[in-house]
């Protein structure tokens, strides 16, 4: 307890010192203009002045957030193809796997800042300072107070300044050479909020606007196909993916397991025939096994539990195998969560049940491949309950009194949206089969 209090006291001292230190500098003169980088950027590596050599990215986030960051990362790499981006994140997770799959990040370092001692935190910052970063990017979810001594010594500092209605906003605007203001009332999508960070530097982002597409690792599609065949799934069958689980800390995202089971059974009844079976692929992690087994027992026929980690080899990126399996699905039906965003990024049609979270920030994106992505969302006056990553003042996610944003969504609505997608899928497959035999 004493160590925790001391750590917090020292963090406050670091913030105060950073404020005093940076107030002595004229941050408005750091750039010679909105489109011109500091002249001394890049000189640490003996490179051309004006070109950053090392960029630090704070990536303390979930899977969905990492996917939303992809357009920003691609814009940076296009502007500075030889620049190395180094990410700092909490621990090995699906989010860090997205960074690996993006091909944009040079190194990823893990640091659990909340569990770390003061000595461990200072040791990390000393090691990172030795890399002589030219630039740092911090979103509104970055744990800035824990790293303020590191951040303030980086020449170009780009960060969000969050404005949340009715909440006490802790602003670090003094820290940023390029502050980017975001608000929970502007209804911006997360991709645009991240892109605003690089646009503050005058970097062109139009080419990568909404580009969250990802590809599985080579050979994973074939291995996913072989895996499903071994389970009895034939090429003529239709696979409907279901991701029923939600995060342990976010049970309020759960539409209802019984509703998902009924949805699966109705789709099987509607679209199975003598030549084609509708397979229900229950996708999850090892932590979801009990839930998936309980669902499989009730669905009974043509159902397959899929734990991508169990299929992977040691050298594989597990999330890539998840993407390969999602590619085999005609549609994914899921609660709001990272796997739903992953389906969109790998080109799988999606029907997502959306409740209390920030719909405007995380609504499904239309890709250029004409894949149908649908959010079943009621848009009630009281929703969303969250904005810019925090619960709005006066809201209670676990017991708001009615949960109408989820309970009013019926099985009929979800089945109807999934049926439209399946009809399109079947028609497209029939056309391809017909064209191949002409």
């Amino acid at each position: 307890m004493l160590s925790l209090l001391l750590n917090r006291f020292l963090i406050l001292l670091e913030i105060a010192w950073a404020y005093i230190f940076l107030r002595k500098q004229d941050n408005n003169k750091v750039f010679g203009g909105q489109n011109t980088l500091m002249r001394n950027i890049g000189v640490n590596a003996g490179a051309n002045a004006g070109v950053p050599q090392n960029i630090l990215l704070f990536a303390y986030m979930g899977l969905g957030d990492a996917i939303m960051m992809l357009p920003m990362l691609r814009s940076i790499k296009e502007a500075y193809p030889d620049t190395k981006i180094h990410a700092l994140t909490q621990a090995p997770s699906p989010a860090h796997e997205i960074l690996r799959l993006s091909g944009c990040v040079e190194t990823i370092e893990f640091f659990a800042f909340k569990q770390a001692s003061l000595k461990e935190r200072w040791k990390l910052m000393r090691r990172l300072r030795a890399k002589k970063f030219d630039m740092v990017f911090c979103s509104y979810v970055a744990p800035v107070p824990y790293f303020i001594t590191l951040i303030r010594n980086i020449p170009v500092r780009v960060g969000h300044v969050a404005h949340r209605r009715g909440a006490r906003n802790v602003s670090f605007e003094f820290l940023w050479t390029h502050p980017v203001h975001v608000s929970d009332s502007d209804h911006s999508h997360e991709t645009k909020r991240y892109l605003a960070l690089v646009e503050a530097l005058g970097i062109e982002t139009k080419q990568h606007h909404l580009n969250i597409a990802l590809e599985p690792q080579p050979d994973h599609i074939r291995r996913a196909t072989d895996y499903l065949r071994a389970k009895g799934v034939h090429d003529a069958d239709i696979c409907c993916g279901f991701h029923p689980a939600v995060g342990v800390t976010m049970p309020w995202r759960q539409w209802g397991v019984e509703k998902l089971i009924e949805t699966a059974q109705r789709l099987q009844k509607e679209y199975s025939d003598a030549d084609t079976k509708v397979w229900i692929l229950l996708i999850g992690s090892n932590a979801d096994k009990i839930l998936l087994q309980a669902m499989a027992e009730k669905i009974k026929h043509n159902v397959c539990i899929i734990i991508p980690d169990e299929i992977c080899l040691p050298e594989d990126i597990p999330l890539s195998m998840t993407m390969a399996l999602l590619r085999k699905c005609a549609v994914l039906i899921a609660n709001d969560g990272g796997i739903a965003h992953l389906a969109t990024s790998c080109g799988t049609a999606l029907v997502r049940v959306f409740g209390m979270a920030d719909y405007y920030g995380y609504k499904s994106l239309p890709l250029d491949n004409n894949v149908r992505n649908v959010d079943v969302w009621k848009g009630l006056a009281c929703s969303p309950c969250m904005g810019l990553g925090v619960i709005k003042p006066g809201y209670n996610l676990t017991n708001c009194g009615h949960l109408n944003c989820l309970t009013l969504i019926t099985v009929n609505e979800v089945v109807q949206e999934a049926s439209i997608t399946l009809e399109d899928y079947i028609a497209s497959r029939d056309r391809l089969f017909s064209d191949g035999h002409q």
Side-chain angles (χ1 to χ4, degrees):
M1 184 65 180
L2 182 61
S3 175
L4 177 63
L5 291 174
L6 177 61
N7 202 4
R8 290 183 176 178
F9 175 71
L10 290 174
I11 287 173
L12 290 175
L13 283 181
E14 290 175 35
I15 294 172
W17 170 242
Y19 179 79
I20 295 169
F21 175 81
L22 293 172
R23 289 286 288 182
K24 293 180 180 180
Q25 299 182 0
D26 186 357
N27 285 336
N28 293 325
K29 295 180 180 179
V30 171
F31 274 54
Q34 189 69 1
N35 299 321
T36 307
L37 281 171
M38 255 179 67
R39 291 179 180 177
N40 65 342
I41 282 184
V43 298
N44 291 328
N48 295 328
V51 178
Q53 297 302 298
N54 290 288
I55 293 176
L56 177 61
L57 172 72
F58 278 83
Y60 286 85
M61 57 185 59
L63 171 56
D65 300 291
I67 292 173
M68 298 300 106
M69 186 182 275
L70 288 173
M72 167 188 159
L73 291 174
R74 287 163 176 162
S75 296
I76 295 172
K77 289 302 290 184
E78 182 172 286
Y80 310 121
D82 297 324
T83 296
K84 296 178 180 179
I85 300 176
H86 306 268
L88 185 63
T89 188
Q90 178 81 5
S93 67
H96 107 264
E97 293 178 21
I98 290 293
L99 298 179
R100 288 179 62 190
L101 288 167
S102 74
C104 297
V105 176
E106 184 78 13
T107 62
I108 302 174
E109 181 140 6
F110 305 108
F111 187 74
F113 64 92
K114 288 185 178 180
Q115 292 77 34
S117 66
L118 182 63
K119 182 179 179 180
E120 290 170 332
R121 187 164 59 86
W122 281 355
K123 184 178 179 181
L124 170 80
M125 288 194 286
R126 188 164 57 247
R127 186 171 71 252
L128 291 177
R129 284 186 67 179
K131 293 182 181 290
K132 298 182 178 179
F133 292 110
D134 302 301
M135 190 179 294
V136 60
F137 289 96
C138 294
S139 75
Y140 61 85
V141 297
V144 172
Y146 292 85
F147 301 97
I148 201 160
T149 300
L150 169 67
I151 294 170
R152 72 173 176 85
N153 286 289
I154 298 174
V156 177
R157 306 176 296 278
V158 190
H160 280 146
V161 179
H163 301 278
R164 301 176 175 96
R165 289 172 294 178
R168 184 170 60 89
N169 294 292
V170 179
S171 174
F172 290 97
E173 186 170 1
F174 70 89
L175 185 62
W176 312 122
T177 59
H178 289 70
V180 176
H181 294 264
V182 292
S183 171
D184 62 359
S185 62
D186 62 13
H187 291 177
S188 292
H189 198 272
E190 280 296 282
T191 53
K192 293 184 179 180
R193 289 170 180 158
Y194 285 122
L195 285 172
L197 293 173
V198 292
E199 288 169 350
L201 301 175
I203 294 175
E204 177 63 53
T205 63
K206 288 183 179 179
Q207 181 174 340
H208 299 288
H209 178 60
L210 303 185
N211 179 13
I212 62 169
L214 282 171
E215 289 292 328
Q217 287 180 284
D219 194 46
H220 278 194
I221 294 290
R222 180 191 60 78
R223 284 166 53 192
T225 301
D226 292 344
Y227 176 82
L228 291 176
R229 284 174 178 166
K231 293 288 186 178
V233 181
H234 300 134
D235 294 345
D237 294 337
I238 298 172
C239 292
C240 293
F242 280 74
H243 185 259
V246 294
V248 176
T249 61
M250 300 181 181
W252 38 268
R253 286 184 170 181
Q254 179 60 261
W255 177 45
V257 174
E258 292 300 324
K259 291 180 179 179
L260 289 168
I261 292 170
E262 183 181 346
T263 300
Q265 291 172 330
R266 286 179 57 176
L267 292 176
Q268 282 186 323
K269 183 178 179 180
E270 178 69 24
Y271 291 98
S272 296
D273 57 33
D275 300 319
T276 303
K277 296 178 182 177
V278 173
W279 278 84
I280 304 300
L281 307 186
L282 300 177
I283 303 170
S285 66
N286 284 308
D288 307 324
K289 273 187 176 180
I290 295 176
L291 170 63
L292 301 183
Q293 289 169 352
M295 290 184 65
E297 289 174 3
K298 292 189 176 182
I299 296 173
K300 295 181 180 178
H301 305 294
N302 301 328
V303 58
C304 180
I305 295 174
I306 295 180
I307 311 293
D309 285 3
E310 296 180 351
I311 310 171
C312 289
L313 300 174
E315 64 272 17
D316 289 337
I317 299 177
L319 207 62
S320 172
M321 182 59 73
T322 304
M323 293 166 57
L325 289 161
L326 288 172
R327 284 268 187 96
K328 305 302 294 182
C329 297
V331 63
L332 175 73
I333 299 169
N335 297 299
D336 171 35
I339 295 297
H341 293 296
L342 187 67
T344 301
S345 69
C346 70
T348 296
L350 172 69
V351 176
R352 179 175 59 158
V353 180
F354 208 103
M356 303 177 183
D358 181 7
Y359 174 73
Y360 301 105
Y362 290 91
K363 62 184 177 182
S364 296
L365 293 173
L367 296 182
D368 295 334
N369 55 10
N370 296 319
V371 173
R372 187 170 182 267
N373 299 313
V374 179
D375 293 324
V376 184
W377 181 62
K378 286 300 182 181
L380 303 179
C382 59
S383 64
C385 294
M386 296 187 71
L388 296 180
V390 300
I391 302 170
K392 292 180 179 179
Y395 282 74
N396 183 348
L397 288 172
T398 57
N399 183 19
C400 70
H402 53 78
L403 299 177
N404 284 342
C405 59
L406 284 174
T407 57
L408 292 179
I409 296 175
T410 66
V411 173
N412 283 340
E413 290 176 275
V414 176
V415 169
Q416 181 180 13
E417 295 294 351
S419 295
I420 294 172
T421 298
L422 288 177
E423 294 287 353
D424 291 344
Y425 172 82
I426 294 169
S428 175
R429 191 176 66 171
D430 289 346
R431 283 195 299 271
L432 288 173
F433 180 81
S434 178
D435 292 343
H437 287 74
Q438 286 182 356

